[in-house]
Amino acid sequence: MKHSTDTRAVRIAAPALEGSRPVSVPIYQSSTYVFDDPEVLADSMAVPDRSFVYGRLSNPTVRALENAVADLEGGVGAVATSSGMGAINMALLGLLESGDHVIAQRALYGGTHASIMDFQRRFGIEVTFVSGHDADEVRAAVRPRTRVLYLETIANPMCHVSDLPAMFAVAREKGLVSVVDNTFASPILCRPIELGADIVVHSATKYLGGHSDVLGGVAVFADRDLYHKVWHFGVELGSTPDPFAAWLTIRGIRTLPLRMRRHCENTEYLARRVDAHPAVTRAHWPGLPSHESYEVAKGFLPAFGGLFAFDLAGGRAAGTAFLKAVRLANLSVSLGGVETLVMHPATSSHRSLSDEELAATGIGPGTIRVAVGIEDPEDLWADFSQALDSL
Ligand SMILES: *Cc1c(COP(=O)(O)O)cnc(C)c1O
């Protein structure tokens, strides 16, 4: 029986694909899925990897992103989220209970530090901070309720590199779940699961997306039980990304290896030139032998990332003057995009800290952080050198 126009207008269906398929991953803009078999529907609600049911549980475009990142990181599965903080909070809250204890490295992304301090205040989840390069310090911090060891591959903004192989070995020895934020290295420079990590988290907003046009996060799992446990919590939390955001991130990842190579080459060039300029007391990049993490980083990183910092001899006033003097680089927070961004932590991300508190983090009043893009390195140096000369 032919339905009326009222019904036919409502029930438009996509054509079945036969004999060809799309080259690019399509955007599956559907919140819910049709089943022929009620038992398949029932089975698919309990786990992340059967049929697609409902967008908060999974979506084919989002799954393509999750599979891509799980594959690059060498994990058994991944859960994508609407931001990096979504992935970090989903993983931590999915693992921790009131009264548990976390050991975390001291140099942490600001948002992660704020979350962990909030868990302590509101849920009685305690935290001990460690340097990230001393296995005995971690052993000494372990308590009966310690559940998680939380690290970052390369930390913001001074580029401290944790001794990941040594840290994961202690986590294994003590039965802790190791979680590492691999945003700054990306799976092109570091695959922490191969070094012994249990969970890798990313802000996909940065290098994975790579074009400063999308927010996203991903958590990748070395083990199926952890994957399913955290996925369940993510479904409760509702931290799911939109399929379009997942699609933009997939498009970014397709050029990630090329971009990372250029980010690292440009950073090496710029960090060395800046380090030698008379207006600069010191550049901080783990690829420079003067960096505190140089030896540790050389042990497991093939290249040292696209972010560096430098200290201006002229302190706070020089920091502000430098930001006004650059013409090609943009004053902006965030990192990992194709364009070069500069910022002055003492007057922006870390403005609430006194000079003494700043000093404890290693950040000086004249420290500039640079997220190096993929422009021509000579153009970048021309811009930086004219700005440094003007101070
Ligand atoms: C940006 C960032 C985050 C947070 O990611 P969002 O996508 O902004 O939520 C977490 N960790 C690191 C290292 C970051 O750079």
Side-chain angles (χ1 to χ4, degrees):
M1 187 194 91
K2 191 159 173 143
H3 292 118
S4 76
T5 48
D6 279 10
T7 301
R8 275 152 43 216
V10 171
R11 306 302 297 248
I12 297 166
L17 300 181
E18 278 166 47
S20 69
R21 56 191 181 279
V23 167
S24 127
V25 175
I27 301 173
Y28 284 86
Q29 198 69 43
S30 187
S31 62
T32 190
Y33 294 80
V34 178
F35 284 79
D36 296 321
D37 183 341
E39 275 152 28
V40 178
L41 168 55
D43 280 352
S44 299
M45 301 221 39
V47 288
D49 37 18
R50 296 236 175 100
S51 301
F52 296 100
V53 180
Y54 179 64
R56 181 157 43 75
L57 281 62
S58 55
N59 166 286
T61 312
V62 174
R63 178 57 44 78
L65 167 63
E66 292 168 337
N67 289 348
V69 181
D71 175 58
L72 291 173
E73 288 283 2
V76 299
V79 181
T81 54
S82 53
S83 74
M85 285 315 300
I88 290 164
N89 281 314
M90 172 186 70
L92 288 176
L93 290 173
L95 292 170
L96 293 166
E97 296 179 13
S98 286
D100 280 347
H101 175 237
V102 176
I103 301 174
Q105 75 175 45
R106 202 163 283 117
L108 273 186
Y109 179 72
T112 309
H113 184 263
S115 280
I116 288 178
M117 297 316 283
D118 201 27
F119 300 162
Q120 177 157 294
R121 224 167 16 248
R122 295 194 300 128
F123 307 128
I125 294 168
E126 306 219 334
V127 58
T128 303
F129 292 105
V130 296
S131 68
H133 51 251
D134 180 351
D136 285 335
E137 190 190 10
V138 177
R139 270 189 207 99
V142 173
R143 303 179 193 170
R145 292 289 302 268
T146 309
R147 281 281 289 148
V148 166
L149 175 62
Y150 190 94
L151 305 163
E152 296 183 4
T153 315
I154 306 173
N156 183 47
M158 308 311 277
C159 305
H160 168 86
V161 178
S162 276
D163 189 350
L164 295 186
M167 294 293 105
F168 298 150
V170 191
R172 283 281 142 96
E173 175 193 317
K174 297 291 184 187
L176 314 180
V177 178
S178 53
V179 182
V180 57
D181 183 331
N182 198 34
T183 299
F184 277 34
S186 91
I188 303 306
L189 302 186
C190 184
R191 286 169 296 283
I193 289 172
E194 290 175 1
L195 302 175
D198 296 308
I199 302 180
V200 174
V201 291
H202 277 282
S203 169
T205 312
K206 314 295 168 51
Y207 291 106
L208 296 182
H211 297 76
S212 309
D213 55 9
V214 64
L215 268 95
V218 196
V220 189
F221 303 89
D223 161 280
R224 190 155 295 275
D225 289 344
L226 280 175
Y227 169 36
H228 286 198
K229 184 180 162 97
V230 172
W231 173 78
H232 269 283
F233 182 68
V235 170
E236 289 171 11
L237 197 62
S239 44
T240 327
D242 182 86
F244 182 54
W247 183 86
L248 281 170
T249 310
I250 292 167
R251 189 168 70 162
I253 291 173
R254 295 174 93 176
T255 57
L256 176 66
L258 291 175
R259 285 187 287 108
M260 275 327 279
R261 203 170 302 150
R262 178 77 167 205
H263 282 299
C264 292
E265 286 168 8
N266 278 4
T267 307
E268 168 141 37
Y269 182 77
L270 211 54
R272 286 187 191 283
R273 304 292 304 243
V274 165
D275 195 35
H277 194 280
V280 172
T281 46
R282 207 176 141 192
H284 305 266
W285 187 59
L288 296 175
S290 58
H291 194 274
E292 48 147 16
S293 299
Y294 176 67
E295 291 298 332
V296 164
K298 259 199 329 186
F300 65 93
L301 293 179
F304 305 95
L307 202 110
F308 80 105
F310 59 91
D311 301 330
L312 289 166
R316 204 172 279 264
T320 324
F322 178 83
L323 295 181
K324 289 185 180 157
V326 283
R327 294 175 193 143
L328 178 60
N330 296 129
L331 165 59
S332 189
V333 301
S334 198
L335 62 123
V338 291
E339 58 288 291
T340 297
L341 308 178
V342 291
M343 61 177 283
H344 180 216
T347 55
S348 55
S349 56
H350 294 70
R351 73 191 174 288
S352 59
L353 305 191
S354 66
D355 276 5
E356 296 74 58
E357 286 172 316
L358 263 189
T361 67
I363 301 167
T367 300
I368 296 288
R369 187 194 83 169
V370 189
V372 182
I374 63 170
E375 302 94 335
D376 185 324
E378 294 297 344
D379 288 338
L380 290 173
W381 173 241
D383 186 34
F384 275 57
S385 60
Q386 67 78 25
L388 290 170
D389 291 346
S390 77
L391 297 179

